[in-house]
Amino acid sequence: MEPVAVGLVGAGPWAEMAHAPMLAAGPHTRLAGVWARRPESAARLGAPVYERLEELFDACEAFAFCVPPAVQAELAVRAARAGKALLLEKPLGDSLASARRLADAVAESGVPSQLVLTLRYAAGTRAFLDRCREIEPFGGHAANISGVLTGDHPFATPWRLERGALLDAGPHMLDLMDAALGRITGVRAHGHPLRWTGLLLEHEGGAVSEISLTQAAAGDPPPATAAVYGRKGTAVLTPGGDPLPLVAEEFARTVREGGHPLDAARGLHLQQVIEEAEIQLRTP
């Protein structure tokens, strides 16, 4: 399979740590160029730097986004309308309205899309979900505890400091419970977006689950955890391994062949759940 030429939008810490090395490593993708608000940051990523996004359109067949949600929702619409396949970060947008505009643009243009929900690409996660299908699950719980919002953490960026764990870590855990127990049909939220957020979810078929989120924990927080319980046993998440090579490989196949379960429509579904939870957290 010919490597897919991918343009990278964004040059922040996650782009430097993950996206740029992943796309440049091959053999399924090639980092064709970078556009960022700060060209000096883009220059550190080891690929041609483009001053205008439209110039990067001509150099690649697909785009990867590593920018704040509001910026992704705006620029990815332009890329979709230009006929470029999209590798999208979570969350899809900064609001349900922006996420819907992007999902609609993807549907109207027919371009392939895929979300970087990294947890879902880990071999242990896929084994966990296979196990969930065997045990007739009726409930589960998950937790994502970190200190991202504390101190001088590189990911304490303005949108995370404003919106907290629900918008950042929330898509990972919501997607996981949705995949394990069935489509989320209802959510009840309590707590505070910048401290501790608790979610009680209802799923198609009658299963229920609980999610705990915070990015304000000091010290050495534990890794993300998840467990699902059923009539025929229990499934416990043990992700492990580097998911990024599989992200790149599956994206290349998505570009060449189309269709991926973690697409823009999936991102829109998760954004709907997040908005409903955020409304409840804002209501006294």
Side-chain angles (χ1 to χ4, degrees):
M1 182 173 63
E2 181 72 17
V4 174
V6 185
L8 177 59
V9 178
W14 186 236
E16 188 170 359
M17 293 169 57
H19 280 65
M22 171 185 73
L23 296 170
H28 305 288
T29 57
R30 175 175 64 83
L31 183 57
V34 182
W35 177 89
R37 187 165 58 90
R38 296 187 180 89
E40 64 274 14
S41 297
R44 296 199 301 265
L45 302 186
V49 176
Y50 290 80
E51 293 186 2
R52 297 177 61 250
L53 188 64
E54 289 76 12
E55 293 173 348
L56 187 53
F57 285 170
D58 297 332
C60 65
E61 55 189 310
F63 269 74
F65 290 85
C66 195
V67 288
V71 180
Q72 172 173 270
E74 175 189 351
L75 299 183
V77 167
R78 292 166 58 186
R81 290 173 177 166
K84 305 302 179 181
L86 307 177
L87 184 61
L88 300 161
E89 264 295 346
K90 53 79 202 164
L92 195 62
D94 64 326
S95 67
L96 181 56
S98 68
R100 183 171 283 119
R101 283 193 295 272
L102 175 50
D104 288 347
V106 169
E108 290 166 5
S109 64
V111 298
S113 63
Q114 188 172 317
L115 287 168
V116 185
L117 288 162
T118 48
L119 192 60
R120 284 287 294 276
Y121 297 87
T125 302
R126 296 189 171 186
F128 166 77
L129 293 175
D130 287 342
R131 173 65 176 159
C132 289
R133 286 186 279 271
E134 297 171 352
I135 64 174
E136 297 182 11
F138 53 75
H141 63 76
N144 192 303
I145 313 300
S146 79
V148 167
L149 302 184
T150 63
D152 58 353
H153 197 286
F155 295 124
T157 52
W159 69 271
R160 291 182 176 91
L161 292 169
E162 179 186 355
R163 303 284 287 277
L166 181 57
L167 200 68
D168 186 17
H172 290 296
M173 310 317 286
L174 289 166
D175 171 68
L176 188 62
M177 290 292 99
D178 188 279
L181 291 165
R183 188 174 179 86
I184 296 168
T185 57
V187 57
R188 282 175 278 172
H190 66 97
H192 190 286
L194 299 182
R195 295 194 291 273
W196 188 274
T197 298
L199 306 174
L200 178 61
L201 307 174
E202 298 173 358
H203 300 260
E204 283 183 350
V208 295
S209 63
E210 300 168 6
I211 294 177
S212 298
L213 301 168
T214 186
Q215 291 182 326
D220 188 16
T225 60
V228 166
Y229 305 92
R231 297 173 184 85
K232 295 183 177 180
T234 298
V236 178
L237 176 67
T238 54
D242 180 6
L244 294 178
L246 191 57
V247 172
E249 179 180 352
E250 292 195 1
F251 181 56
R253 297 195 184 282
T254 297
V255 174
R256 299 291 183 232
E257 302 168 10
H260 196 280
L262 301 180
D263 60 7
R266 178 69 169 171
L268 180 59
H269 168 54
L270 298 177
Q271 197 93 33
Q272 290 169 329
V273 179
I274 289 169
E275 177 164 277
E276 177 59 31
E278 287 193 314
I279 289 172
Q280 295 179 32
L281 290 173
R282 291 194 296 266
T283 302

